[in-house]
Amino acid sequence: MRIVPWWTLVSAGCAPVVLVIAWVIAALIQGPGYEPVTQTISVLGADGAAGKWILNGALIALGACHLVTAWGLRPASLAGRLALGAGGVAAIVVAMSPTTSSGGSLWHGFVVGVGFTLLAVWPVLAADRGRAAPWALRPAVAITVTALMAVGAACFLIELRGDGAAGIAERVLTTAQSLWPFVVVASCLLRPRSS
């Protein structure tokens, strides 16, 4: 018997693909006024943005992917699955509460922060101390991934406050956060079956 259903691999694999394709298309629709190096993804989903519907639709799809993945990722601990699912809900709420075209929104920023935090801590919460745990669910790996995501979040905040390359920092972090569930699911499927 498989330890994770096949559809979990599909949902986890779709998450980063949907996200990256959406921000690329939304940036192309937005046109030359958008600077992906310094501007965040939220600018593409802001009220009045030309590609708002694409980015916000992708955030809803991303959230749904995380929810489905959390549901099927049975080898992960319940706390980790709940954090991943809640991160998916946060992505959906972000899509439904876009920032304003003139600048930030306190609610939008709060929900983004909660989502980033949930998706950063879910690996360590999902860890399995058992000797037969898939490699991506082992505590040392989970702690390392969570630490790297925390470093990525710190780099993003530094770039955001210093008017630097916040767009690049955010894209690296969100790509890592959307890709890690796929890595975990793949490690579960590749684990040798015990007799």
Side-chain angles (χ1 to χ4, degrees):
M1 185 168 134
R2 289 182 183 229
I3 58 173
V4 292
W6 65 269
W7 45 263
T8 309
L9 186 65
V10 173
S11 65
C14 285
V17 173
V18 165
L19 182 63
V20 172
I21 288 174
W23 80 48
V24 168
I25 293 172
L28 290 172
I29 291 172
Q30 190 68 20
Y34 178 72
E35 179 52 56
V37 171
T38 59
Q39 290 181 302
T40 66
I41 300 164
S42 295
V43 172
L44 296 171
D47 288 331
K52 171 186 175 181
W53 60 276
I54 291 175
L55 186 72
N56 291 332
L59 289 174
I60 291 170
L62 173 71
C65 286
H66 286 332
L67 284 165
V68 170
T69 302
W71 182 30
L73 192 55
R74 296 179 193 131
S77 76
L78 180 60
R81 293 172 67 193
L82 289 173
L84 176 59
V89 171
I92 294 169
V93 173
V94 166
M96 295 180 171
S97 56
T99 188
T100 62
S101 58
S102 62
S105 159
L106 187 59
W107 174 249
H108 177 84
F110 172 75
V111 175
V112 167
V114 168
F116 273 136
T117 302
L118 287 166
L119 293 175
V121 301
W122 91 267
V124 79
L125 293 175
D128 180 353
R129 295 188 199 282
R131 289 180 28 178
W135 71 267
L137 287 174
R138 293 180 184 158
V141 174
I143 290 167
T144 302
V145 170
T146 294
L148 288 172
M149 288 187 191
V151 168
C155 289
F156 168 66
L157 291 173
I158 290 167
E159 293 297 325
L160 190 62
R161 298 228 6 139
D163 293 327
I168 291 174
E170 181 186 38
R171 281 167 178 77
V172 169
L173 179 59
T174 56
T175 300
Q177 288 185 328
S178 66
L179 186 59
W180 186 248
F182 177 78
V183 173
V184 173
V185 171
S187 80
C188 291
L189 291 172
L190 294 173
R191 182 180 83 167
R193 296 172 203 244
S194 55
S195 51

